[in-house]
Amino acid sequence: MTVLLVALGAAIGAPLRYLADRAVQARHDTVFPWGTFAVNVAGSGLLGLLAALPAGHGVTALAGTGFCGALTTYSTLGYETLRLAEDGARAFALLNALLSIAAGLGAAYCGMAVAQALIGS
């Protein structure tokens, strides 16, 4: 049953990542991968929130592992960072790596803080 929940979450998260990435990137005329950045930060925040909530009834498998796992993409972050560096946009490559890690961790922390505030009230 857990595998099916993960697959269902991923079936929703992967197309949403693609659509969100394209929608965000279409609004920016720059080589910086804002679409990937946006989905990674949003997914990190949601996963932080889910991780801090009491586990129950497959929510972690469906929303955490499946949905957030498919929504966020470390491999694309790596690929786009290397592509930027190879194309001569080394400053953007460094900014992408550092900003993505810092913002992802910050979003996860904020998500956890929100969950803790909800649980505490």
Side-chain angles (χ1 to χ4, degrees), residues 11-105:
I12 298 167
L16 182 61
R17 178 185 72 81
Y18 174 78
L19 294 171
D21 177 30
R22 295 294 91 212
V24 170
Q25 200 61 40
R27 289 170 173 72
H28 295 87
D29 187 25
T30 179
V31 295
F32 190 84
W34 285 111
T36 301
F37 177 79
V39 295
N40 284 346
V41 172
S44 294
L46 178 58
L47 189 56
L49 179 108
L50 293 169
L53 292 175
H57 308 306
V59 172
T60 302
L62 175 72
T65 305
F67 180 77
C68 289
L71 180 68
T72 61
T73 173
Y74 191 78
S75 59
T76 302
L77 166 65
Y79 166 76
E80 289 175 343
T81 302
L82 288 176
R83 184 183 47 80
L84 287 168
E86 288 174 350
D87 290 347
R90 289 188 175 88
F92 278 123
L94 183 61
L95 182 65
N96 187 39
L98 296 176
L99 191 60
S100 292
I101 292 169
L105 289 172

